Amino acid sequence: MIEVIGQINTVTRTVGEKALESGTARTATISRVYETGVDDLWNAVTDPERISRWFLPVSGDLRLGGRFQLEGNASGTIERCDPPKGFAATWEYGGQTTWIEVRLTPEADGRTRFELEHTALVDPSQNQFGPGVVGIGWDMGLLGLTIHVESGEDARAKLGDTWAMSEEGREFARKAGEGWYAADVAAGADQATARTAADFTIAMYTGEQ
């Protein structure tokens, strides 16, 4: 059993904008403090064997300029690497290129803050999804990372391939989606528009469309 509310409440979500040469981009940022040192957390998010235990199997050349491929998901190029502070990479999926940046910051008592910013150019045809379209997926990723860091277990084996569509998994997606709705409104989005987008995105993740 996953304590859904407790997991959701440990995560901070923010939404913003960033000016790129090619236009205005939206950012969705998720962060959480882990009870481990920065070197261990860096290893957890960069070592292929450990990544496969909490996220997805990954192949490729995991160094500056290298290409990676997540099994059944995104590929990309590592554009910046500054161990153990963070890295940045392209995130190429479904014919679109977006960008991720991971930042690790030491906190008090030997803890470490993990922060991931996902940046995407604004596409009017995708406005119906809102920030939860990437945010809910990252919430699920951080859940896996939490289980792995706190217990050393293989989180993917614990959750199983069908967990996302279990009642517990759907409830997690609903609560995460509500968190991203709140972040969207806090960033200035029209409340009715944000509500419609959140409902649409939650339904997509829970199979309740």
CSV table of all heavy atoms in Angstrom, one decimal, residues 163-197:
chain,number,residue,atom,x,y,z
A,163,TRP,N,0.1,-1.0,-11.6
A,163,TRP,CA,-0.3,-0.1,-10.4
A,163,TRP,C,-0.9,1.2,-10.9
A,163,TRP,O,-1.9,1.6,-10.3
A,163,TRP,CB,1.0,0.2,-9.6
A,163,TRP,CG,0.7,1.1,-8.5
A,163,TRP,CD1,0.2,0.7,-7.2
A,163,TRP,CD2,0.8,2.6,-8.4
A,163,TRP,NE1,0.0,1.8,-6.4
A,163,TRP,CE2,0.4,3.0,-7.1
A,163,TRP,CE3,1.2,3.5,-9.3
A,163,TRP,CZ2,0.4,4.3,-6.7
A,163,TRP,CZ3,1.2,4.9,-8.9
A,163,TRP,CH2,0.8,5.2,-7.7
A,164,ALA,N,-0.5,1.8,-12.0
A,164,ALA,CA,-1.0,3.1,-12.4
A,164,ALA,C,-2.5,3.0,-12.7
A,164,ALA,O,-3.3,4.0,-12.4
A,164,ALA,CB,-0.3,3.6,-13.6
A,165,MET,N,-3.0,1.8,-13.1
A,165,MET,CA,-4.4,1.7,-13.4
A,165,MET,C,-5.2,1.0,-12.2
A,165,MET,O,-6.4,0.7,-12.3
A,165,MET,CB,-4.6,0.9,-14.7
A,165,MET,CG,-4.4,1.7,-15.9
A,165,MET,SD,-5.5,3.1,-16.1
A,165,MET,CE,-4.5,4.5,-15.7
A,166,SER,N,-4.5,0.7,-11.1
A,166,SER,CA,-5.2,0.2,-9.9
A,166,SER,C,-6.0,1.4,-9.3
A,166,SER,O,-5.7,2.6,-9.6
A,166,SER,CB,-4.2,-0.3,-8.9
A,166,SER,OG,-3.4,0.7,-8.3
A,167,GLU,N,-6.9,1.1,-8.4
A,167,GLU,CA,-7.6,2.2,-7.7
A,167,GLU,C,-6.6,3.1,-7.0
A,167,GLU,O,-6.8,4.3,-6.9
A,167,GLU,CB,-8.7,1.7,-6.8
A,167,GLU,CG,-9.5,2.8,-6.2
A,167,GLU,CD,-10.1,3.8,-7.2
A,167,GLU,OE1,-10.6,3.4,-8.2
A,167,GLU,OE2,-10.0,5.0,-6.9
A,168,GLU,N,-5.6,2.5,-6.3
A,168,GLU,CA,-4.6,3.3,-5.6
A,168,GLU,C,-3.9,4.2,-6.6
A,168,GLU,O,-3.6,5.4,-6.3
A,168,GLU,CB,-3.7,2.4,-4.9
A,168,GLU,CG,-2.7,3.1,-4.0
A,168,GLU,CD,-1.8,2.1,-3.3
A,168,GLU,OE1,-1.0,1.4,-3.9
A,168,GLU,OE2,-1.9,2.0,-2.0
A,169,GLY,N,-3.5,3.6,-7.7
A,169,GLY,CA,-2.7,4.4,-8.7
A,169,GLY,C,-3.6,5.5,-9.3
A,169,GLY,O,-3.1,6.7,-9.5
A,170,ARG,N,-4.9,5.3,-9.6
A,170,ARG,CA,-5.7,6.3,-10.1
A,170,ARG,C,-6.0,7.4,-9.1
A,170,ARG,O,-6.0,8.6,-9.4
A,170,ARG,CB,-7.1,5.7,-10.6
A,170,ARG,CG,-6.9,4.9,-11.8
A,170,ARG,CD,-8.3,4.6,-12.5
A,170,ARG,NE,-9.1,3.8,-11.6
A,170,ARG,CZ,-9.2,2.5,-11.6
A,170,ARG,NH1,-8.5,1.8,-12.4
A,170,ARG,NH2,-10.1,1.9,-10.8
A,171,GLU,N,-6.1,7.0,-7.8
A,171,GLU,CA,-6.3,8.1,-6.8
A,171,GLU,C,-5.0,8.9,-6.7
A,171,GLU,O,-5.1,10.2,-6.5
A,171,GLU,CB,-6.5,7.4,-5.4
A,171,GLU,CG,-6.8,8.4,-4.3
A,171,GLU,CD,-8.0,9.2,-4.4
A,171,GLU,OE1,-8.8,9.0,-5.3
A,171,GLU,OE2,-8.1,10.2,-3.6
A,172,PHE,N,-3.8,8.3,-6.8
A,172,PHE,CA,-2.6,9.1,-6.8
A,172,PHE,C,-2.6,10.1,-8.0
A,172,PHE,O,-2.2,11.3,-7.8
A,172,PHE,CB,-1.4,8.1,-6.9
A,172,PHE,CG,-0.1,8.8,-6.8
A,172,PHE,CD1,0.5,9.1,-5.6
A,172,PHE,CD2,0.6,9.3,-8.0
A,172,PHE,CE1,1.8,9.7,-5.5
A,172,PHE,CE2,1.8,9.9,-7.9
A,172,PHE,CZ,2.4,10.1,-6.6
A,173,ALA,N,-3.0,9.7,-9.2
A,173,ALA,CA,-3.0,10.6,-10.3
A,173,ALA,C,-4.0,11.7,-10.1
A,173,ALA,O,-3.8,12.8,-10.5
A,173,ALA,CB,-3.4,9.8,-11.6
A,174,ARG,N,-5.2,11.4,-9.5
A,174,ARG,CA,-6.2,12.4,-9.2
A,174,ARG,C,-5.6,13.5,-8.3
A,174,ARG,O,-5.7,14.7,-8.5
A,174,ARG,CB,-7.4,11.8,-8.6
A,174,ARG,CG,-8.2,10.9,-9.6
A,174,ARG,CD,-9.5,10.5,-8.9
A,174,ARG,NE,-10.1,9.3,-9.6
A,174,ARG,CZ,-10.1,8.1,-9.2
A,174,ARG,NH1,-9.5,7.8,-8.0
A,174,ARG,NH2,-10.6,7.1,-9.9
A,175,LYS,N,-5.0,13.0,-7.2
A,175,LYS,CA,-4.5,14.0,-6.2
A,175,LYS,C,-3.3,14.8,-6.8
A,175,LYS,O,-3.2,16.0,-6.5
A,175,LYS,CB,-4.0,13.2,-5.0
A,175,LYS,CG,-5.1,12.5,-4.2
A,175,LYS,CD,-6.1,13.5,-3.7
A,175,LYS,CE,-7.2,12.7,-2.8
A,175,LYS,NZ,-8.2,13.7,-2.3
A,176,ALA,N,-2.4,14.1,-7.6
A,176,ALA,CA,-1.3,14.9,-8.2
A,176,ALA,C,-1.9,15.9,-9.2
A,176,ALA,O,-1.4,17.0,-9.3
A,176,ALA,CB,-0.4,13.9,-9.0
A,177,GLY,N,-2.9,15.5,-10.0
A,177,GLY,CA,-3.6,16.4,-10.9
A,177,GLY,C,-4.1,17.6,-10.2
A,177,GLY,O,-4.1,18.8,-10.7
A,178,GLU,N,-4.7,17.4,-9.0
A,178,GLU,CA,-5.3,18.5,-8.3
A,178,GLU,C,-4.1,19.5,-7.8
A,178,GLU,O,-4.3,20.7,-7.8
A,178,GLU,CB,-6.1,18.0,-7.1
A,178,GLU,CG,-7.4,17.3,-7.4
A,178,GLU,CD,-8.3,18.2,-8.2
A,178,GLU,OE1,-8.3,19.5,-7.9
A,178,GLU,OE2,-9.1,17.7,-9.1
A,179,GLY,N,-3.0,18.9,-7.5
A,179,GLY,CA,-1.8,19.7,-7.1
A,179,GLY,C,-1.4,20.6,-8.2
A,179,GLY,O,-1.0,21.7,-8.0
A,180,TRP,N,-1.4,20.0,-9.5
A,180,TRP,CA,-0.9,20.8,-10.6
A,180,TRP,C,-2.0,21.8,-11.0
A,180,TRP,O,-1.6,22.9,-11.5
A,180,TRP,CB,-0.6,19.9,-11.8
A,180,TRP,CG,0.7,19.2,-11.6
A,180,TRP,CD1,0.9,17.9,-11.2
A,180,TRP,CD2,2.0,19.8,-11.6
A,180,TRP,NE1,2.2,17.6,-11.1
A,180,TRP,CE2,2.9,18.8,-11.3
A,180,TRP,CE3,2.5,21.1,-11.9
A,180,TRP,CZ2,4.3,19.0,-11.2
A,180,TRP,CZ3,3.8,21.3,-11.8
A,180,TRP,CH2,4.7,20.3,-11.5
A,181,TYR,N,-3.3,21.5,-10.8
A,181,TYR,CA,-4.3,22.5,-11.0
A,181,TYR,C,-4.1,23.7,-10.0
A,181,TYR,O,-4.1,24.9,-10.5
A,181,TYR,CB,-5.7,21.9,-10.7
A,181,TYR,CG,-6.8,22.9,-10.4
A,181,TYR,CD1,-7.3,23.7,-11.5
A,181,TYR,CD2,-7.3,23.1,-9.2
A,181,TYR,CE1,-8.3,24.7,-11.2
A,181,TYR,CE2,-8.3,24.1,-8.9
A,181,TYR,CZ,-8.7,24.8,-10.0
A,181,TYR,OH,-9.7,25.8,-9.7
A,182,ALA,N,-3.8,23.5,-8.8
A,182,ALA,CA,-3.6,24.5,-7.8
A,182,ALA,C,-2.3,25.4,-8.2
A,182,ALA,O,-2.3,26.6,-8.1
A,182,ALA,CB,-3.4,24.0,-6.4
A,183,ALA,N,-1.3,24.7,-8.7
A,183,ALA,CA,-0.1,25.4,-9.1
A,183,ALA,C,-0.4,26.3,-10.3
A,183,ALA,O,0.2,27.4,-10.4
A,183,ALA,CB,1.0,24.4,-9.4
A,184,ASP,N,-1.2,25.8,-11.2
A,184,ASP,CA,-1.5,26.5,-12.4
A,184,ASP,C,-2.3,27.8,-12.1
A,184,ASP,O,-2.0,28.9,-12.5
A,184,ASP,CB,-2.4,25.7,-13.3
A,184,ASP,CG,-2.4,26.1,-14.8
A,184,ASP,OD1,-1.5,26.9,-15.2
A,184,ASP,OD2,-3.2,25.6,-15.6
A,185,VAL,N,-3.3,27.7,-11.2
A,185,VAL,CA,-4.0,28.9,-10.7
A,185,VAL,C,-3.2,29.8,-10.0
A,185,VAL,O,-3.2,31.1,-10.2
A,185,VAL,CB,-5.2,28.4,-9.9
A,185,VAL,CG1,-5.9,29.6,-9.2
A,185,VAL,CG2,-6.2,27.6,-10.7
A,186,ALA,N,-2.3,29.3,-9.1
A,186,ALA,CA,-1.4,30.2,-8.4
A,186,ALA,C,-0.4,31.0,-9.3
A,186,ALA,O,0.0,32.1,-8.9
A,186,ALA,CB,-0.5,29.3,-7.4
A,187,ALA,N,-0.2,30.4,-10.5
A,187,ALA,CA,0.7,31.1,-11.4
A,187,ALA,C,-0.1,32.1,-12.3
A,187,ALA,O,0.5,32.8,-13.1
A,187,ALA,CB,1.4,30.1,-12.4
A,188,GLY,N,-1.4,32.2,-12.1
A,188,GLY,CA,-2.2,33.2,-12.8
A,188,GLY,C,-3.1,32.7,-13.8
A,188,GLY,O,-3.7,33.5,-14.5
A,189,ALA,N,-3.2,31.4,-14.0
A,189,ALA,CA,-4.1,30.9,-15.0
A,189,ALA,C,-5.6,31.2,-14.7
A,189,ALA,O,-5.9,31.2,-13.5
A,189,ALA,CB,-3.9,29.4,-15.1
A,190,ASP,N,-6.4,31.4,-15.7
A,190,ASP,CA,-7.8,31.5,-15.4
A,190,ASP,C,-8.3,30.2,-14.8
A,190,ASP,O,-8.1,29.1,-15.2
A,190,ASP,CB,-8.5,31.7,-16.8
A,190,ASP,CG,-10.0,31.7,-16.7
A,190,ASP,OD1,-10.6,32.7,-16.2
A,190,ASP,OD2,-10.7,30.7,-17.0
A,191,GLN,N,-9.1,30.4,-13.7
A,191,GLN,CA,-9.5,29.3,-12.9
A,191,GLN,C,-10.4,28.3,-13.6
A,191,GLN,O,-10.2,27.1,-13.5
A,191,GLN,CB,-10.2,29.8,-11.6
A,191,GLN,CG,-10.5,28.7,-10.6
A,191,GLN,CD,-10.9,29.2,-9.3
A,191,GLN,OE1,-10.9,30.4,-9.0
A,191,GLN,NE2,-11.3,28.4,-8.4
A,192,ALA,N,-11.3,28.8,-14.4
A,192,ALA,CA,-12.2,27.9,-15.2
A,192,ALA,C,-11.4,27.1,-16.2
A,192,ALA,O,-11.6,25.9,-16.4
A,192,ALA,CB,-13.3,28.7,-15.8
A,193,THR,N,-10.5,27.8,-16.9
A,193,THR,CA,-9.7,27.2,-18.0
A,193,THR,C,-8.8,26.1,-17.3
A,193,THR,O,-8.6,25.0,-17.9
A,193,THR,CB,-8.9,28.2,-18.7
A,193,THR,OG1,-9.7,29.2,-19.3
A,193,THR,CG2,-8.0,27.5,-19.8
A,194,ALA,N,-8.2,26.5,-16.2
A,194,ALA,CA,-7.3,25.5,-15.5
A,194,ALA,C,-8.1,24.3,-15.0
A,194,ALA,O,-7.6,23.2,-15.1
A,194,ALA,CB,-6.6,26.2,-14.4
A,195,ARG,N,-9.3,24.5,-14.6
A,195,ARG,CA,-10.1,23.4,-14.1
A,195,ARG,C,-10.4,22.4,-15.2
A,195,ARG,O,-10.3,21.2,-15.0
A,195,ARG,CB,-11.4,24.0,-13.4
A,195,ARG,CG,-12.4,23.0,-12.9
A,195,ARG,CD,-11.9,22.4,-11.6
A,195,ARG,NE,-11.1,21.1,-11.8
A,195,ARG,CZ,-10.4,20.6,-10.9
A,195,ARG,NH1,-10.2,21.1,-9.7
A,195,ARG,NH2,-9.8,19.4,-11.1
A,196,THR,N,-10.8,23.0,-16.3
A,196,THR,CA,-11.1,22.1,-17.5
A,196,THR,C,-9.9,21.3,-17.9
A,196,THR,O,-10.0,20.1,-18.2
A,196,THR,CB,-11.7,23.0,-18.6
A,196,THR,OG1,-12.9,23.7,-18.2
A,196,THR,CG2,-12.0,22.1,-19.9
A,197,ALA,N,-8.8,22.0,-18.0
A,197,ALA,CA,-7.5,21.3,-18.4
A,197,ALA,C,-7.2,20.2,-17.4
A,197,ALA,O,-6.8,19.1,-17.8
A,197,ALA,CB,-6.4,22.3,-18.5
